[in-house]
Amino acid sequence: MNWIPIEEQIPDNGENEVFCLVTCQEWDNFTGDWSTPHIKILSYLPKVGIWNIKSPIKVTAWMPLPEIYESESEK
């Protein structure tokens, strides 16, 4: 899987919430600046066109989460 820049495509799953791995920066109220880029798991709400977040975040790229690992004995 490769990173998908936000400028090229946003996550879409119809009206369902989409969970993604994202590269982002968060606003730091103490320094008054954006943090160093890091990776988070966030969900995107295509119906309203927003990331499901509680604080200001700049998402620069995303990728779908991988499938859950399942051993042969669990299948």
Side-chain angles (χ1 to χ4, degrees):
M1 286 189 269
N2 294 322
W3 289 105
I4 303 165
I6 289 297
E7 299 84 29
E8 290 180 15
Q9 182 183 349
I10 58 171
D12 189 12
N13 193 18
E15 294 190 12
N16 297 325
E17 185 174 22
V18 181
F19 288 90
C20 307
L21 190 61
V22 301
T23 300
C24 64
Q25 291 177 288
E26 295 182 80
W27 182 255
D28 186 329
N29 287 325
F30 294 110
T31 64
D33 203 0
W34 292 100
S35 68
T36 306
H38 56 277
I39 295 173
K40 287 186 103 144
I41 295 175
L42 293 179
S43 65
Y44 185 77
L45 306 167
K47 187 174 181 177
V48 289
I50 61 170
W51 293 97
N52 190 6
I53 55 174
K54 294 182 180 168
S55 61
I57 290 179
K58 272 196 232 177
V59 175
T60 54
W62 66 279
M63 70 171 60
L65 292 177
E67 294 294 321
I68 295 174
Y69 172 78
E70 213 175 302
S71 69
E72 289 300 316
S73 62
E74 295 173 330
K75 291 181 181 180

